[in-house]
Short mmCIF file of all heavy atoms in Angstrom, two decimals:
data_model
loop_
_atom_site.label_atom_id
_atom_site.label_comp_id
_atom_site.label_asym_id
_atom_site.label_seq_id
_atom_site.Cartn_x
_atom_site.Cartn_y
_atom_site.Cartn_z
N MET Q 1 91.89 0.30 -13.59
CA MET Q 1 92.82 1.29 -13.11
C MET Q 1 93.29 2.14 -14.29
O MET Q 1 93.63 1.63 -15.35
CB MET Q 1 94.02 0.61 -12.44
CG MET Q 1 94.99 1.59 -11.87
SD MET Q 1 96.42 0.87 -11.03
CE MET Q 1 95.67 -0.20 -9.86
N ILE Q 2 93.32 3.43 -14.09
CA ILE Q 2 93.77 4.36 -15.13
C ILE Q 2 95.29 4.46 -15.07
O ILE Q 2 95.88 4.64 -14.01
CB ILE Q 2 93.13 5.74 -14.93
CG1 ILE Q 2 91.61 5.63 -15.06
CG2 ILE Q 2 93.67 6.75 -15.93
CD1 ILE Q 2 90.87 6.90 -14.71
N ARG Q 3 95.91 4.38 -16.25
CA ARG Q 3 97.37 4.48 -16.35
C ARG Q 3 97.75 5.91 -16.76
O ARG Q 3 97.34 6.38 -17.80
CB ARG Q 3 97.92 3.52 -17.40
CG ARG Q 3 97.61 2.07 -17.11
CD ARG Q 3 97.94 1.21 -18.31
NE ARG Q 3 97.13 1.65 -19.46
CZ ARG Q 3 97.45 1.48 -20.72
NH1 ARG Q 3 98.56 0.87 -21.06
NH2 ARG Q 3 96.66 1.91 -21.70
N PHE Q 4 98.52 6.57 -15.91
CA PHE Q 4 98.95 7.94 -16.17
C PHE Q 4 100.41 7.97 -16.60
O PHE Q 4 101.24 7.23 -16.07
CB PHE Q 4 98.82 8.80 -14.90
CG PHE Q 4 97.41 9.20 -14.59
CD1 PHE Q 4 96.58 8.35 -13.87
CD2 PHE Q 4 96.91 10.42 -15.00
CE1 PHE Q 4 95.28 8.72 -13.57
CE2 PHE Q 4 95.61 10.80 -14.70
CZ PHE Q 4 94.80 9.95 -13.98
N GLY Q 5 100.71 8.85 -17.54
CA GLY Q 5 102.08 9.17 -17.90
C GLY Q 5 102.34 10.61 -17.50
O GLY Q 5 101.51 11.49 -17.73
N ILE Q 6 103.47 10.84 -16.87
CA ILE Q 6 103.84 12.18 -16.43
C ILE Q 6 104.97 12.66 -17.32
O ILE Q 6 106.03 12.03 -17.39
CB ILE Q 6 104.25 12.17 -14.94
CG1 ILE Q 6 103.08 11.65 -14.09
CG2 ILE Q 6 104.71 13.55 -14.51
CD1 ILE Q 6 103.46 11.32 -12.67
N PHE Q 7 104.75 13.76 -17.99
CA PHE Q 7 105.66 14.24 -19.02
C PHE Q 7 106.11 15.66 -18.65
O PHE Q 7 105.32 16.60 -18.71
CB PHE Q 7 104.91 14.21 -20.35
CG PHE Q 7 105.74 14.52 -21.55
CD1 PHE Q 7 107.10 14.25 -21.61
CD2 PHE Q 7 105.14 15.07 -22.66
CE1 PHE Q 7 107.84 14.54 -22.73
CE2 PHE Q 7 105.86 15.36 -23.80
CZ PHE Q 7 107.22 15.08 -23.83
N ILE Q 8 107.36 15.78 -18.24
CA ILE Q 8 107.91 17.06 -17.79
C ILE Q 8 108.76 17.65 -18.92
O ILE Q 8 109.65 16.98 -19.45
CB ILE Q 8 108.77 16.88 -16.52
CG1 ILE Q 8 107.98 16.15 -15.42
CG2 ILE Q 8 109.33 18.21 -16.04
CD1 ILE Q 8 106.73 16.85 -14.95
N ILE Q 9 108.49 18.89 -19.26
CA ILE Q 9 109.22 19.58 -20.32
C ILE Q 9 110.03 20.70 -19.66
O ILE Q 9 109.47 21.69 -19.21
CB ILE Q 9 108.24 20.14 -21.37
CG1 ILE Q 9 107.42 18.98 -21.95
CG2 ILE Q 9 108.99 20.90 -22.45
CD1 ILE Q 9 106.11 19.40 -22.56
N SER Q 10 111.34 20.48 -19.58
CA SER Q 10 112.19 21.45 -18.89
C SER Q 10 113.62 21.32 -19.39
O SER Q 10 114.23 20.25 -19.27
CB SER Q 10 112.15 21.21 -17.38
OG SER Q 10 113.14 21.97 -16.72
N ASP Q 11 114.16 22.40 -19.91
CA ASP Q 11 115.56 22.39 -20.36
C ASP Q 11 116.49 22.10 -19.18
O ASP Q 11 117.37 21.23 -19.27
CB ASP Q 11 115.94 23.73 -20.99
CG ASP Q 11 115.29 23.95 -22.35
OD1 ASP Q 11 115.02 22.96 -23.05
OD2 ASP Q 11 115.06 25.12 -22.71
N ARG Q 12 116.31 22.81 -18.09
CA ARG Q 12 117.22 22.66 -16.94
C ARG Q 12 117.11 21.30 -16.27
O ARG Q 12 118.12 20.68 -15.93
CB ARG Q 12 116.99 23.78 -15.94
CG ARG Q 12 117.56 25.10 -16.45
CD ARG Q 12 117.33 26.21 -15.48
NE ARG Q 12 116.17 26.92 -16.00
CZ ARG Q 12 115.55 27.87 -15.39
NH1 ARG Q 12 115.93 28.25 -14.19
NH2 ARG Q 12 114.53 28.48 -15.93
N SER Q 13 115.90 20.83 -16.06
CA SER Q 13 115.73 19.52 -15.41
C SER Q 13 116.22 18.39 -16.31
O SER Q 13 116.79 17.41 -15.82
CB SER Q 13 114.27 19.29 -15.03
OG SER Q 13 113.88 20.18 -14.00
N SER Q 14 116.03 18.51 -17.61
CA SER Q 14 116.48 17.46 -18.52
C SER Q 14 118.00 17.36 -18.57
O SER Q 14 118.55 16.30 -18.84
CB SER Q 14 115.93 17.68 -19.94
OG SER Q 14 116.52 18.80 -20.54
N LYS Q 15 118.69 18.47 -18.26
CA LYS Q 15 120.15 18.49 -18.25
C LYS Q 15 120.73 18.23 -16.86
O LYS Q 15 121.94 18.22 -16.69
CB LYS Q 15 120.65 19.84 -18.76
CG LYS Q 15 120.32 20.09 -20.21
CD LYS Q 15 120.73 21.48 -20.64
CE LYS Q 15 120.31 21.72 -22.07
NZ LYS Q 15 120.51 23.12 -22.48
N GLY Q 16 119.86 18.05 -15.87
CA GLY Q 16 120.33 17.80 -14.51
C GLY Q 16 120.76 19.05 -13.77
O GLY Q 16 121.33 18.97 -12.69
N ILE Q 17 120.47 20.22 -14.32
CA ILE Q 17 120.84 21.48 -13.68
C ILE Q 17 119.91 21.76 -12.49
O ILE Q 17 120.33 22.29 -11.47
CB ILE Q 17 120.77 22.64 -14.69
CG1 ILE Q 17 121.81 22.42 -15.79
CG2 ILE Q 17 120.96 23.99 -14.01
CD1 ILE Q 17 121.69 23.37 -16.97
N ARG Q 18 118.66 21.38 -12.64
CA ARG Q 18 117.66 21.60 -11.58
C ARG Q 18 116.90 20.30 -11.37
O ARG Q 18 116.47 19.65 -12.34
CB ARG Q 18 116.71 22.72 -11.98
CG ARG Q 18 115.63 22.97 -10.94
CD ARG Q 18 114.67 24.06 -11.34
NE ARG Q 18 113.97 23.68 -12.57
CZ ARG Q 18 113.40 24.53 -13.38
NH1 ARG Q 18 113.46 25.82 -13.15
NH2 ARG Q 18 112.76 24.12 -14.45
N GLU Q 19 116.73 19.93 -10.13
CA GLU Q 19 115.95 18.73 -9.81
C GLU Q 19 114.47 18.98 -10.12
O GLU Q 19 113.92 20.03 -9.78
CB GLU Q 19 116.11 18.39 -8.33
CG GLU Q 19 115.32 17.18 -7.91
CD GLU Q 19 115.42 16.91 -6.42
OE1 GLU Q 19 115.99 17.72 -5.68
OE2 GLU Q 19 114.91 15.85 -6.00
N ASP Q 20 113.85 18.01 -10.78
CA ASP Q 20 112.42 18.11 -11.04
C ASP Q 20 111.66 17.64 -9.81
O ASP Q 20 111.83 16.50 -9.36
CB ASP Q 20 112.02 17.26 -12.25
CG ASP Q 20 110.52 17.21 -12.40
OD1 ASP Q 20 109.91 18.29 -12.53
OD2 ASP Q 20 109.95 16.11 -12.35
N LEU Q 21 110.83 18.48 -9.26
CA LEU Q 21 110.01 18.12 -8.11
C LEU Q 21 108.57 17.84 -8.51
O LEU Q 21 107.83 17.18 -7.78
CB LEU Q 21 110.06 19.24 -7.06
CG LEU Q 21 111.44 19.60 -6.54
CD1 LEU Q 21 111.36 20.78 -5.58
CD2 LEU Q 21 112.12 18.41 -5.89
N THR Q 22 108.17 18.35 -9.67
CA THR Q 22 106.79 18.21 -10.12
C THR Q 22 106.43 16.76 -10.44
O THR Q 22 105.38 16.27 -10.02
CB THR Q 22 106.53 19.10 -11.35
OG1 THR Q 22 106.87 20.44 -11.02
CG2 THR Q 22 105.08 19.02 -11.78
N GLY Q 23 107.29 16.08 -11.20
CA GLY Q 23 107.01 14.70 -11.58
C GLY Q 23 106.79 13.79 -10.39
O GLY Q 23 105.76 13.11 -10.30
N PRO Q 24 107.73 13.77 -9.43
CA PRO Q 24 107.52 12.93 -8.25
C PRO Q 24 106.30 13.32 -7.42
O PRO Q 24 105.61 12.46 -6.87
CB PRO Q 24 108.81 13.12 -7.45
CG PRO Q 24 109.84 13.47 -8.48
CD PRO Q 24 109.09 14.30 -9.49
N ALA Q 25 105.99 14.62 -7.35
CA ALA Q 25 104.80 15.06 -6.60
C ALA Q 25 103.53 14.56 -7.28
O ALA Q 25 102.62 14.06 -6.60
CB ALA Q 25 104.79 16.58 -6.48
N LEU Q 26 103.47 14.68 -8.60
CA LEU Q 26 102.30 14.17 -9.34
C LEU Q 26 102.19 12.66 -9.20
O LEU Q 26 101.11 12.12 -8.99
CB LEU Q 26 102.40 14.54 -10.82
CG LEU Q 26 102.12 15.98 -11.18
CD1 LEU Q 26 102.54 16.26 -12.61
CD2 LEU Q 26 100.64 16.28 -10.99
N GLN Q 27 103.32 11.98 -9.29
CA GLN Q 27 103.32 10.52 -9.17
C GLN Q 27 102.79 10.10 -7.80
O GLN Q 27 101.95 9.21 -7.69
CB GLN Q 27 104.72 9.98 -9.40
CG GLN Q 27 104.77 8.46 -9.35
CD GLN Q 27 106.17 7.94 -9.56
OE1 GLN Q 27 107.14 8.50 -9.04
NE2 GLN Q 27 106.29 6.88 -10.32
N SER Q 28 103.27 10.74 -6.76
CA SER Q 28 102.83 10.41 -5.40
C SER Q 28 101.33 10.66 -5.25
O SER Q 28 100.61 9.82 -4.68
CB SER Q 28 103.60 11.25 -4.39
OG SER Q 28 103.16 10.99 -3.09
N PHE Q 29 100.84 11.79 -5.75
CA PHE Q 29 99.42 12.10 -5.68
C PHE Q 29 98.59 11.03 -6.38
O PHE Q 29 97.59 10.55 -5.84
CB PHE Q 29 99.16 13.47 -6.31
CG PHE Q 29 97.71 13.81 -6.42
CD1 PHE Q 29 97.00 14.30 -5.33
CD2 PHE Q 29 97.03 13.63 -7.62
CE1 PHE Q 29 95.65 14.60 -5.43
CE2 PHE Q 29 95.68 13.92 -7.74
CZ PHE Q 29 94.99 14.41 -6.64
N LEU Q 30 98.99 10.65 -7.59
CA LEU Q 30 98.23 9.67 -8.37
C LEU Q 30 98.25 8.29 -7.71
O LEU Q 30 97.22 7.61 -7.66
CB LEU Q 30 98.77 9.60 -9.79
CG LEU Q 30 98.53 10.85 -10.63
CD1 LEU Q 30 99.37 10.82 -11.89
CD2 LEU Q 30 97.06 11.01 -10.95
N ILE Q 31 99.39 7.89 -7.21
CA ILE Q 31 99.49 6.58 -6.54
C ILE Q 31 98.60 6.57 -5.31
O ILE Q 31 97.92 5.58 -5.02
CB ILE Q 31 100.95 6.24 -6.22
CG1 ILE Q 31 101.69 5.93 -7.54
CG2 ILE Q 31 101.05 5.08 -5.25
CD1 ILE Q 31 103.18 5.79 -7.39
N ASN Q 32 98.57 7.68 -4.56
CA ASN Q 32 97.71 7.77 -3.38
C ASN Q 32 96.23 7.70 -3.73
O ASN Q 32 95.40 7.36 -2.88
CB ASN Q 32 98.01 9.04 -2.58
CG ASN Q 32 99.29 8.95 -1.81
OD1 ASN Q 32 99.75 7.86 -1.46
ND2 ASN Q 32 99.92 10.09 -1.56
N LYS Q 33 95.90 8.02 -4.98
CA LYS Q 33 94.51 7.92 -5.46
C LYS Q 33 94.26 6.59 -6.17
O LYS Q 33 93.26 6.43 -6.86
CB LYS Q 33 94.19 9.08 -6.41
CG LYS Q 33 94.30 10.44 -5.79
CD LYS Q 33 93.24 10.64 -4.73
CE LYS Q 33 93.32 12.03 -4.15
NZ LYS Q 33 92.38 12.23 -3.06
N ASN Q 34 95.19 5.64 -5.98
CA ASN Q 34 95.08 4.28 -6.54
C ASN Q 34 95.13 4.23 -8.06
O ASN Q 34 94.44 3.43 -8.68
CB ASN Q 34 93.84 3.56 -6.02
CG ASN Q 34 93.89 3.36 -4.53
OD1 ASN Q 34 94.93 2.96 -4.00
ND2 ASN Q 34 92.82 3.65 -3.84
N HIS Q 35 95.94 5.10 -8.64
CA HIS Q 35 96.15 5.07 -10.09
C HIS Q 35 97.57 4.58 -10.36
O HIS Q 35 98.45 4.68 -9.53
CB HIS Q 35 95.96 6.45 -10.71
CG HIS Q 35 94.56 6.96 -10.61
ND1 HIS Q 35 93.49 6.35 -11.22
CD2 HIS Q 35 94.05 8.02 -9.95
CE1 HIS Q 35 92.39 7.00 -10.94
NE2 HIS Q 35 92.70 8.03 -10.17
N GLU Q 36 97.76 4.08 -11.56
CA GLU Q 36 99.08 3.65 -12.00
C GLU Q 36 99.81 4.86 -12.57
O GLU Q 36 99.28 5.56 -13.43
CB GLU Q 36 98.90 2.58 -13.08
CG GLU Q 36 100.12 1.76 -13.35
CD GLU Q 36 99.80 0.65 -14.33
OE1 GLU Q 36 98.93 -0.18 -14.02
OE2 GLU Q 36 100.42 0.64 -15.40
N ALA Q 37 101.01 5.11 -12.08
CA ALA Q 37 101.79 6.26 -12.54
C ALA Q 37 103.27 5.89 -12.55
O ALA Q 37 104.08 6.47 -11.83
CB ALA Q 37 101.53 7.47 -11.66
N ASP Q 38 103.60 4.89 -13.35
CA ASP Q 38 104.97 4.38 -13.38
C ASP Q 38 105.86 5.10 -14.40
O ASP Q 38 107.07 4.91 -14.40
CB ASP Q 38 104.98 2.89 -13.71
CG ASP Q 38 104.26 2.07 -12.65
OD1 ASP Q 38 104.24 2.49 -11.48
OD2 ASP Q 38 103.70 1.02 -13.00
N LEU Q 39 105.26 5.88 -15.27
CA LEU Q 39 106.01 6.47 -16.37
C LEU Q 39 106.18 7.97 -16.17
O LEU Q 39 105.22 8.73 -16.17
CB LEU Q 39 105.27 6.20 -17.69
CG LEU Q 39 105.96 6.63 -18.97
CD1 LEU Q 39 107.31 5.94 -19.12
CD2 LEU Q 39 105.08 6.29 -20.16
N ILE Q 40 107.44 8.39 -15.96
CA ILE Q 40 107.79 9.80 -15.88
C ILE Q 40 108.91 10.04 -16.89
O ILE Q 40 109.90 9.30 -16.91
CB ILE Q 40 108.28 10.22 -14.48
CG1 ILE Q 40 107.20 10.02 -13.43
CG2 ILE Q 40 108.74 11.67 -14.49
CD1 ILE Q 40 107.64 10.36 -12.02
N LYS Q 41 108.75 11.04 -17.72
CA LYS Q 41 109.78 11.37 -18.69
C LYS Q 41 110.04 12.87 -18.64
O LYS Q 41 109.11 13.67 -18.57
CB LYS Q 41 109.35 10.97 -20.09
CG LYS Q 41 110.43 11.19 -21.13
CD LYS Q 41 110.17 10.33 -22.34
CE LYS Q 41 111.30 10.41 -23.32
NZ LYS Q 41 112.38 9.48 -23.05
N ILE Q 42 111.33 13.22 -18.66
CA ILE Q 42 111.75 14.62 -18.65
C ILE Q 42 112.55 14.86 -19.92
O ILE Q 42 113.52 14.14 -20.19
CB ILE Q 42 112.62 14.95 -17.42
CG1 ILE Q 42 111.87 14.62 -16.14
CG2 ILE Q 42 113.05 16.41 -17.45
CD1 ILE Q 42 112.72 14.71 -14.89
N ILE Q 43 112.14 15.86 -20.69
CA ILE Q 43 112.86 16.20 -21.91
C ILE Q 43 113.02 17.72 -22.00
O ILE Q 43 112.30 18.46 -21.33
CB ILE Q 43 112.16 15.66 -23.18
CG1 ILE Q 43 110.82 16.35 -23.40
CG2 ILE Q 43 112.00 14.16 -23.15
CD1 ILE Q 43 110.28 16.16 -24.80
N PRO Q 44 113.95 18.17 -22.86
CA PRO Q 44 114.08 19.62 -23.06
C PRO Q 44 112.90 20.19 -23.83
O PRO Q 44 112.15 19.46 -24.47
CB PRO Q 44 115.38 19.76 -23.85
CG PRO Q 44 115.64 18.43 -24.45
CD PRO Q 44 114.95 17.41 -23.59
N ASP Q 45 112.78 21.49 -23.78
CA ASP Q 45 111.68 22.20 -24.44
C ASP Q 45 111.98 22.32 -25.94
O ASP Q 45 112.30 23.39 -26.45
CB ASP Q 45 111.53 23.58 -23.80
CG ASP Q 45 110.28 24.31 -24.25
OD1 ASP Q 45 109.53 23.74 -25.06
OD2 ASP Q 45 110.07 25.44 -23.81
N GLU Q 46 111.86 21.20 -26.62
CA GLU Q 46 112.11 21.12 -28.06
C GLU Q 46 110.88 20.51 -28.72
O GLU Q 46 110.51 19.36 -28.41
CB GLU Q 46 113.34 20.27 -28.35
CG GLU Q 46 114.63 20.84 -27.81
CD GLU Q 46 115.05 22.13 -28.49
OE1 GLU Q 46 114.68 22.33 -29.67
OE2 GLU Q 46 115.72 22.94 -27.83
N PHE Q 47 110.26 21.25 -29.64
CA PHE Q 47 109.00 20.84 -30.26
C PHE Q 47 109.04 19.42 -30.79
O PHE Q 47 108.13 18.63 -30.54
CB PHE Q 47 108.63 21.83 -31.38
CG PHE Q 47 107.34 21.45 -32.06
CD1 PHE Q 47 106.12 21.82 -31.51
CD2 PHE Q 47 107.35 20.71 -33.23
CE1 PHE Q 47 104.93 21.46 -32.12
CE2 PHE Q 47 106.16 20.34 -33.85
CZ PHE Q 47 104.95 20.72 -33.29
N ASP Q 48 110.06 19.07 -31.57
CA ASP Q 48 110.12 17.74 -32.18
C ASP Q 48 110.14 16.63 -31.15
O ASP Q 48 109.49 15.59 -31.32
CB ASP Q 48 111.34 17.62 -33.10
CG ASP Q 48 111.22 18.51 -34.34
OD1 ASP Q 48 110.09 18.92 -34.68
OD2 ASP Q 48 112.26 18.80 -34.95
N GLN Q 49 110.90 16.83 -30.07
CA GLN Q 49 110.96 15.81 -29.02
C GLN Q 49 109.63 15.68 -28.28
O GLN Q 49 109.20 14.58 -27.94
CB GLN Q 49 112.08 16.13 -28.03
CG GLN Q 49 113.47 15.98 -28.63
CD GLN Q 49 114.55 16.25 -27.62
OE1 GLN Q 49 114.47 15.79 -26.48
NE2 GLN Q 49 115.57 16.99 -28.02
N ILE Q 50 109.00 16.81 -28.03
CA ILE Q 50 107.70 16.80 -27.36
C ILE Q 50 106.68 16.04 -28.20
O ILE Q 50 105.97 15.16 -27.71
CB ILE Q 50 107.21 18.24 -27.07
CG1 ILE Q 50 108.15 18.93 -26.10
CG2 ILE Q 50 105.77 18.23 -26.55
CD1 ILE Q 50 107.96 20.43 -26.01
N ALA Q 51 106.62 16.38 -29.47
CA ALA Q 51 105.67 15.73 -30.39
C ALA Q 51 105.94 14.23 -30.49
O ALA Q 51 105.00 13.43 -30.52
CB ALA Q 51 105.75 16.37 -31.77
N GLN Q 52 107.21 13.85 -30.52
CA GLN Q 52 107.57 12.43 -30.63
C GLN Q 52 107.07 11.64 -29.42
O GLN Q 52 106.48 10.57 -29.57
CB GLN Q 52 109.07 12.26 -30.78
CG GLN Q 52 109.50 10.82 -30.88
CD GLN Q 52 111.01 10.66 -30.90
OE1 GLN Q 52 111.76 11.58 -30.59
NE2 GLN Q 52 111.47 9.48 -31.25
N VAL Q 53 107.31 12.15 -28.23
CA VAL Q 53 106.90 11.44 -27.02
C VAL Q 53 105.38 11.36 -26.94
O VAL Q 53 104.82 10.29 -26.68
CB VAL Q 53 107.48 12.10 -25.75
CG1 VAL Q 53 106.88 11.49 -24.49
CG2 VAL Q 53 109.00 11.95 -25.74
N LEU Q 54 104.70 12.47 -27.17
CA LEU Q 54 103.24 12.46 -27.11
C LEU Q 54 102.65 11.49 -28.13
O LEU Q 54 101.74 10.71 -27.81
CB LEU Q 54 102.68 13.86 -27.33
CG LEU Q 54 102.91 14.87 -26.20
CD1 LEU Q 54 102.47 16.25 -26.64
CD2 LEU Q 54 102.20 14.44 -24.93
N SER Q 55 103.18 11.50 -29.33
CA SER Q 55 102.70 10.58 -30.37
C SER Q 55 102.95 9.13 -29.99
O SER Q 55 102.07 8.28 -30.15
CB SER Q 55 103.38 10.88 -31.70
OG SER Q 55 102.99 12.13 -32.18
N GLN Q 56 104.14 8.85 -29.50
CA GLN Q 56 104.48 7.47 -29.13
C GLN Q 56 103.57 6.97 -28.02
O GLN Q 56 103.01 5.87 -28.11
CB GLN Q 56 105.94 7.37 -28.69
CG GLN Q 56 106.33 5.96 -28.27
CD GLN Q 56 107.72 5.89 -27.67
OE1 GLN Q 56 108.34 6.90 -27.38
NE2 GLN Q 56 108.20 4.68 -27.48
N TRP Q 57 103.42 7.75 -26.97
CA TRP Q 57 102.59 7.31 -25.85
C TRP Q 57 101.14 7.10 -26.28
O TRP Q 57 100.50 6.15 -25.85
CB TRP Q 57 102.65 8.31 -24.70
CG TRP Q 57 103.96 8.31 -23.95
CD1 TRP Q 57 105.10 7.62 -24.27
CD2 TRP Q 57 104.25 9.02 -22.76
NE1 TRP Q 57 106.08 7.88 -23.35
CE2 TRP Q 57 105.59 8.74 -22.40
CE3 TRP Q 57 103.53 9.89 -21.96
CZ2 TRP Q 57 106.21 9.27 -21.28
CZ3 TRP Q 57 104.14 10.43 -20.85
CH2 TRP Q 57 105.46 10.13 -20.50
N ALA Q 58 100.64 7.98 -27.13
CA ALA Q 58 99.25 7.86 -27.58
C ALA Q 58 99.09 6.71 -28.58
O ALA Q 58 98.18 5.89 -28.46
CB ALA Q 58 98.79 9.16 -28.22
N ASP Q 59 99.97 6.64 -29.56
CA ASP Q 59 99.86 5.62 -30.61
C ASP Q 59 100.07 4.21 -30.09
O ASP Q 59 99.43 3.27 -30.57
CB ASP Q 59 100.84 5.90 -31.75
CG ASP Q 59 100.50 7.15 -32.54
OD1 ASP Q 59 99.38 7.66 -32.40
OD2 ASP Q 59 101.38 7.61 -33.30
N GLU Q 60 100.95 4.06 -29.14
CA GLU Q 60 101.28 2.72 -28.63
C GLU Q 60 100.45 2.33 -27.41
O GLU Q 60 100.70 1.30 -26.79
CB GLU Q 60 102.78 2.63 -28.32
CG GLU Q 60 103.63 2.79 -29.57
CD GLU Q 60 105.12 2.75 -29.29
OE1 GLU Q 60 105.53 2.44 -28.15
OE2 GLU Q 60 105.90 3.04 -30.23
N ASN Q 61 99.47 3.17 -27.05
CA ASN Q 61 98.58 2.89 -25.93
C ASN Q 61 99.37 2.58 -24.65
O ASN Q 61 99.03 1.68 -23.89
CB ASN Q 61 97.63 1.73 -26.28
CG ASN Q 61 96.46 1.66 -25.34
OD1 ASN Q 61 96.04 2.67 -24.77
ND2 ASN Q 61 95.92 0.47 -25.15
N ILE Q 62 100.42 3.36 -24.44
CA ILE Q 62 101.28 3.17 -23.27
C ILE Q 62 100.58 3.63 -22.00
O ILE Q 62 100.75 3.05 -20.94
CB ILE Q 62 102.62 3.89 -23.48
CG1 ILE Q 62 103.39 3.21 -24.63
CG2 ILE Q 62 103.45 3.93 -22.22
CD1 ILE Q 62 104.64 3.93 -25.06
N VAL Q 63 99.83 4.72 -22.10
CA VAL Q 63 99.10 5.27 -20.96
C VAL Q 63 97.69 5.67 -21.41
O VAL Q 63 97.42 5.79 -22.60
CB VAL Q 63 99.82 6.49 -20.35
CG1 VAL Q 63 101.15 6.09 -19.74
CG2 VAL Q 63 100.02 7.59 -21.38
N ASP Q 64 96.81 5.88 -20.44
CA ASP Q 64 95.45 6.34 -20.73
C ASP Q 64 95.37 7.86 -20.73
O ASP Q 64 94.63 8.45 -21.51
CB ASP Q 64 94.47 5.77 -19.71
CG ASP Q 64 94.45 4.25 -19.72
OD1 ASP Q 64 94.28 3.67 -20.81
OD2 ASP Q 64 94.62 3.65 -18.64
N ILE Q 65 96.12 8.48 -19.82
CA ILE Q 65 96.10 9.94 -19.68
C ILE Q 65 97.54 10.43 -19.55
O ILE Q 65 98.34 9.86 -18.80
CB ILE Q 65 95.29 10.37 -18.45
CG1 ILE Q 65 93.82 9.97 -18.61
CG2 ILE Q 65 95.41 11.89 -18.21
CD1 ILE Q 65 92.96 10.24 -17.40
N ILE Q 66 97.85 11.51 -20.28
CA ILE Q 66 99.17 12.12 -20.21
C ILE Q 66 99.03 13.46 -19.49
O ILE Q 66 98.25 14.33 -19.91
CB ILE Q 66 99.75 12.35 -21.61
CG1 ILE Q 66 99.88 11.02 -22.36
CG2 ILE Q 66 101.12 13.05 -21.50
CD1 ILE Q 66 100.20 11.17 -23.83
N ILE Q 67 99.80 13.63 -18.43
CA ILE Q 67 99.84 14.90 -17.71
C ILE Q 67 101.16 15.57 -18.10
O ILE Q 67 102.23 14.98 -17.95
CB ILE Q 67 99.78 14.71 -16.19
CG1 ILE Q 67 98.47 14.05 -15.79
CG2 ILE Q 67 99.97 16.05 -15.47
CD1 ILE Q 67 98.37 13.74 -14.32
N THR Q 68 101.07 16.79 -18.61
CA THR Q 68 102.29 17.52 -18.98
C THR Q 68 102.49 18.70 -18.05
O THR Q 68 101.52 19.26 -17.51
CB THR Q 68 102.21 18.05 -20.43
OG1 THR Q 68 101.14 18.97 -20.54
CG2 THR Q 68 102.01 16.91 -21.42
N SER Q 69 103.75 19.03 -17.85
CA SER Q 69 104.09 20.18 -17.03
C SER Q 69 105.36 20.80 -17.58
O SER Q 69 106.27 20.10 -18.02
CB SER Q 69 104.30 19.75 -15.58
OG SER Q 69 104.69 20.85 -14.79
N GLY Q 70 105.40 22.12 -17.56
CA GLY Q 70 106.61 22.82 -17.99
C GLY Q 70 106.48 23.39 -19.38
O GLY Q 70 105.39 23.54 -19.91
N GLY Q 71 107.61 23.71 -19.94
CA GLY Q 71 107.64 24.29 -21.26
C GLY Q 71 107.60 25.81 -21.19
O GLY Q 71 107.25 26.39 -20.17
N THR Q 72 107.93 26.41 -22.26
CA THR Q 72 108.00 27.87 -22.32
C THR Q 72 106.65 28.50 -22.53
O THR Q 72 106.41 29.64 -22.18
CB THR Q 72 108.95 28.31 -23.47
OG1 THR Q 72 110.16 27.58 -23.35
CG2 THR Q 72 109.25 29.76 -23.40
N GLY Q 73 105.75 27.75 -23.13
CA GLY Q 73 104.44 28.30 -23.41
C GLY Q 73 104.41 28.89 -24.80
O GLY Q 73 105.32 28.70 -25.59
N PHE Q 74 103.36 29.60 -25.12
CA PHE Q 74 103.22 30.20 -26.44
C PHE Q 74 104.17 31.39 -26.56
O PHE Q 74 104.32 32.17 -25.64
CB PHE Q 74 101.78 30.67 -26.66
CG PHE Q 74 100.80 29.53 -26.70
CD1 PHE Q 74 99.94 29.29 -25.66
CD2 PHE Q 74 100.78 28.68 -27.80
CE1 PHE Q 74 99.03 28.24 -25.70
CE2 PHE Q 74 99.89 27.62 -27.85
CZ PHE Q 74 99.01 27.40 -26.80
N SER Q 75 104.79 31.49 -27.71
CA SER Q 75 105.68 32.64 -27.92
C SER Q 75 105.50 33.18 -29.32
O SER Q 75 104.87 32.61 -30.16
CB SER Q 75 107.12 32.24 -27.69
OG SER Q 75 107.50 31.16 -28.51
#
């Protein structure tokens, strides 16, 4: 079974200003496809925090695949 991590990058959702709908939708889709998707994390759009989470998940073999959503994009 493939282990997925869902990583949402959103200033508003991380502060509770806006409900994140993407993470739960992705989780439901993956579970329906018989994948493990127990890990959802929402953080603000801050480079250092993004890098820290991605590094930790990859280095510690927490998940097999990381799905990211959100962020400001290239600027």
Side-chain angles (χ1 to χ4, degrees):
M1 183 179 306
I2 298 173
R3 300 169 300 155
F4 284 85
I6 301 168
F7 187 28
I8 307 299
I9 302 158
S10 169
D11 289 331
R12 286 180 260 172
S13 293
S14 69
K15 294 175 184 172
I17 296 170
R18 178 181 62 201
E19 179 184 7
D20 172 58
L21 302 176
T22 304
L26 285 168
Q27 183 181 40
S28 178
F29 173 81
L30 292 167
I31 289 171
N32 285 334
K33 298 293 182 184
N34 297 316
H35 295 296
E36 197 174 300
D38 297 331
L39 185 59
I40 298 178
K41 185 159 186 86
I42 303 171
I43 67 164
D45 190 0
E46 297 293 333
F47 180 83
D48 292 340
Q49 291 182 44
I50 296 166
Q52 179 185 14
V53 171
L54 290 172
S55 294
Q56 179 187 11
W57 288 7
D59 292 346
E60 296 178 9
N61 196 27
I62 293 172
V63 295
D64 300 308
I65 297 175
I66 300 169
I67 298 176
T68 63
S69 178
T72 311
F74 295 107
S75 57

